[in-house]
Amino acid sequence: MPYLQVPKGTRDIMGKEIVLWRKVEEVVYETAKNFGYEEIRTPIFESTELFTRGVGEGTDIVQKEMYTFTDKGGRSLTLRPEGTAPVMRAYLEHGFAVQQPRVKWFYLGPMFRYERPQAGRMRQFHQFGFEAIGFDSPACDAEIILIAWRIYERLGLHKLSLEMNSLGCPSCKFRYIETLQQFLQREIHSLCDTCKVRLEKNPLRVLDCKNEGCQTIFQSPSFPRLQDFLCEECSKHQETLLATLRFLDIPFSINPRLVRGLDYYTRTAFEIKTGELGAQDAVGGGGRYDNLSQALGGPKVAGVGFAAGIERMVLLLNKMGQGLHALETLVYLAPLDGEGELHLLVLGRRCEELGIPFYMDFADKTLKYHLKKAQKMKVRFVVLVGKAELQNSLFLLKDMFSGEQWTLSQEELLKKLQEEKNSA
RNA sequence: GUGAGCGUGGCUCAACGGUCAGAGCACUGGACUGUGGCUCCAGGGGUUGGGGGUUCGAAUCCCCUCGCUCACCCCA
């Protein structure tokens, strides 16, 4: 490999795969428009503090996955590992909290996390996400889930499962964590090493540990369950949300062990999974983050949102064997010499003005080369200009599918191509 | 960060430690001097990821390193 390579965990997205990316992006834009969400584009890098405070000091993201660097002005900056904290930062920075407290935004773009690459996991990966800020109602949680669901439906991604849980508000979450810590303190001898650390730093994470020893502790009948600690408002919020989902015919299951890896989540937490991608099975996830604004030094602001990974969705679409066509060129312009090139480029300009997609190959090549290439590109028509055509200011048009060909003037040619374009 | 598997022309892969590392596909040209898909012929393209070691001799064995893949962890 004599050439430079892309950095580990990154890749070029190109060729036929781009078609699937475009498709996902189009569905996202379309669905956002239909649900009344506006696009927001935040910077790729932010001050490191935004994520340590927003995502949480004790999270894996902050502890080991961030691309953090110091710029020439001595500022500590971080390539964004997720999209919600930057969106909340923008909300607060631009005074939405007082001016226009309720907003619905969506974003789409690259995120960065320093992890070992694996199927469906890259160091630069792409997410789109929807955020509804300033809304308390559980119906808004339902709308967020509905949007995610609709996007998957529109793309034809079936066999997805939705898992729901509630983490409670800060106060019930806090009461639960206290009880949990006390309980685990007594069982600390059977906890795995990482869980011993989690116990102090991020106790909720202990819940989804897959270690056997930890698992047996969970089975204990005296193990404190989060749902028993939810305050009245929190459990009512959850009940209403679940009722709304049933009303919307969105199937789900309750997973009391579902814990999100980011500190800002409160109450609703959900994950959308597939069985087709191996270990990286989450294609989307989200929840409520009524805590985030305050963590960033803002006022109390409600919020709920979700994010989905585009790479994983594209992998799924690929598995389903979507038909792919890289280009939709209608006509291939084949010059047989330099003078032919001049006339064909003029014709190409006319084609473009009329919305007829053309491809012109400037290689100084034989007719045989051009026909082969046009055939390989699956282009239906070829326009050929050589000496014979130049003498009479005519063009030779060949239909590669039927083999028919005609000698035409420029206007006749364009007319025919337009007819073919419209009938296609 | 931990573990396992793998690095050979552009791509997919051959080659018991032994002449000059091969094939298919792709590419280029020709048979067919302005008519494509098939066929045939010819051609270009490799310091076998990199470095070190063992050996008379290394793509092959050993060590280091880089990269890829999958899994753990975690997440989208």
Side-chain angles (χ1 to χ4, degrees), chain A residues 45-49 68-78:
Chain A
F45 56 85
E46 297 264 4
S47 67
T48 302
E49 191 186 355
T68 298
F69 60 98
T70 307
D71 76 1
K72 293 185 180 186
R75 289 168 276 258
S76 178
L77 301 173
T78 294

Side-chain angles (χ1 to χ4, degrees), chain A residues 5-140:
Chain A
Q5 292 174 257
V6 293
K8 191 185 182 84
T10 68
R11 61 194 204 95
D12 300 309
I13 302 155
M14 54 198 279
K16 288 188 279 185
E17 199 195 351
I18 280 291
V19 181
L20 292 177
W21 280 74
R22 284 277 185 97
K23 192 172 167 185
V24 171
E25 288 162 9
E26 273 162 29
V27 167
V28 169
Y29 291 133
E30 178 90 13
T31 311
K33 189 179 76 186
N34 292 346
F35 278 92
Y37 282 66
E38 279 183 26
E39 184 174 7
I40 176 169
R41 302 190 188 189
T42 63
I44 300 287
F45 56 85
E46 297 264 4
S47 67
T48 302
E49 191 186 355
L50 171 63
F51 300 112
T52 53
R53 288 173 61 179
V55 176
E57 200 77 58
T59 60
D60 282 3
I61 291 181
V62 169
Q63 284 194 336
K64 52 186 194 192
E65 295 175 5
M66 295 207 301
Y67 276 95
T68 298
F69 60 98
T70 307
D71 76 1
K72 293 185 180 186
R75 289 168 276 258
S76 178
L77 301 173
T78 294
L79 262 37
R80 61 179 185 197
E82 60 100 44
T84 303
V87 165
M88 183 56 85
R89 190 226 78 234
Y91 174 91
L92 294 171
E93 182 173 344
H94 300 291
F96 280 90
V98 286
Q99 294 288 326
Q100 187 194 331
R102 280 175 266 276
V103 298
K104 292 184 173 186
W105 288 338
F106 80 98
Y107 61 83
L108 189 157
M111 307 289 163
F112 306 84
R113 263 123 100 157
Y114 186 86
E115 299 179 272
R116 289 289 282 269
Q118 185 177 328
R121 183 211 274 169
M122 297 270 103
R123 288 183 173 180
Q124 173 174 337
F125 62 107
H126 297 74
Q127 286 187 327
F128 63 84
F130 284 66
E131 313 286 355
I133 302 177
F135 299 91
D136 289 311
S137 167
C140 193

